Amino acid sequence: MLEITAVVAGSPVVPPDGPFAPPEPPHFGPSDFKVTVDGIRAVVAETGFRRRAIYAPEKKRDLRVGNYFYLRLSAPLPEAKTVEVEYTGTIPWLAPLRLSAQSEPLRLGPAIHVNQVGYAPDSPKTALVGYYLGSLAELSQPDPAEFNVVEVRSGKIVHRGQLTPRLERGLPHGWYRSVMEAKFTELRTPGEYRVVVPGHGASYPFFIHDGVPAAFARTYALGIYHQRCGTALELPFTRFVHAACHTAPVEVPSVPVQTLKGFNETEPGADLYPYVRRGVFDASGGH
């Protein structure tokens, strides 16, 4: 499976100040692409497409649309080969297109999803393998369904395992039916690693380290701090600086207030989580 990404500015059918109406997908087929592997012509058996907005500022219209073309080859792609793709169709913003890439075993595989913050040595470690191909539905999984964990520094395989299905059963549609799970909780040695799935490439690098939980704790603490009201947010604690806000006295009503139908209709003192402090008081400096 080959993926071609084309980012275009705006939309050819939506005026700059008009309502947003996504354009129809472009018309193309397998005959519009010429693919060679080390100079030998490869057969494109099927094509697919998906589209999404990747940049859309509010103050000044500058829409950027991501267009993703998928080419399913009729035969598996050998490793360590030069793959060239040439577009010969009539889509004006896609021609002339000529791309070249190497099918390296450790190429970045977008279908392999790891926690890039990392994993604590004694915590569960899971990676997911799956990818949405638009009109071609989900990416099929490799056979055999194997994965390796490779140390970045040495390239040594430090863990081997089998991919197991991870089906989504709670949604009404047929989504996420080809997602696989790679579990490597047994790997506890600190270091930098990548998950490698033969045929899919490798994940982004990640760390196994005792300091990983601290990164999550810091992010959580910053999120709380950035939402803090009643006091000024200042450097060097944040770059989102602003003066103290919401400094007026606050009032907690002495009786429940009808805000939503069926909400807070109980008698005073009957609340599951009753107010501890009532009346008017100074809440500046708090959350």
Side-chain angles (χ1 to χ4, degrees), residues 84-249:
E84 292 186 332
V85 179
E86 181 180 357
Y87 176 70
T88 59
T90 59
I91 303 175
W93 44 268
L94 199 57
L97 174 71
R98 189 178 184 89
L99 301 174
S100 178
Q102 299 291 321
S103 59
E104 298 295 339
L106 295 181
R107 66 188 181 276
L108 179 62
I112 308 173
H113 312 279
V114 298
N115 191 331
Q116 289 179 249
V117 178
Y119 305 85
D122 295 329
S123 69
K125 304 172 187 69
T126 302
L128 299 180
V129 182
Y131 203 66
Y132 178 56
L133 301 176
S135 59
L136 291 184
E138 293 182 71
L139 180 68
S140 60
Q141 295 301 331
D143 185 20
E146 300 175 345
F147 76 93
N148 301 318
V149 180
V150 176
E151 187 182 37
V152 171
R153 179 177 56 83
S154 65
K156 178 183 177 182
I157 297 177
V158 297
H159 181 85
R160 301 178 186 270
Q162 295 288 322
L163 297 174
T164 56
R166 175 157 173 167
L167 301 181
E168 171 57 61
R169 298 182 176 89
L171 294 174
H173 303 285
W175 301 328
Y176 309 117
R177 294 296 190 264
S178 297
V179 178
M180 304 292 280
E181 192 173 52
K183 297 182 179 180
F184 50 102
T185 302
E186 299 85 354
L187 181 59
R188 293 181 169 85
T189 304
E192 187 178 16
Y193 304 94
R194 299 177 74 182
V195 172
V196 179
V197 179
H200 282 350
S203 70
Y204 282 106
F206 60 88
F207 284 96
I208 295 178
H209 193 271
D210 284 327
V212 168
F216 286 103
R218 180 181 184 273
T219 302
Y220 182 68
L222 281 176
I224 295 177
Y225 180 72
H226 289 156
Q227 297 294 325
R228 190 178 178 92
C229 284
T231 187
L233 303 188
E234 302 172 333
L235 294 171
F237 308 107
T238 179
R239 60 190 177 94
F240 302 102
V241 297
H242 66 72
C245 58
H246 297 81
T247 56

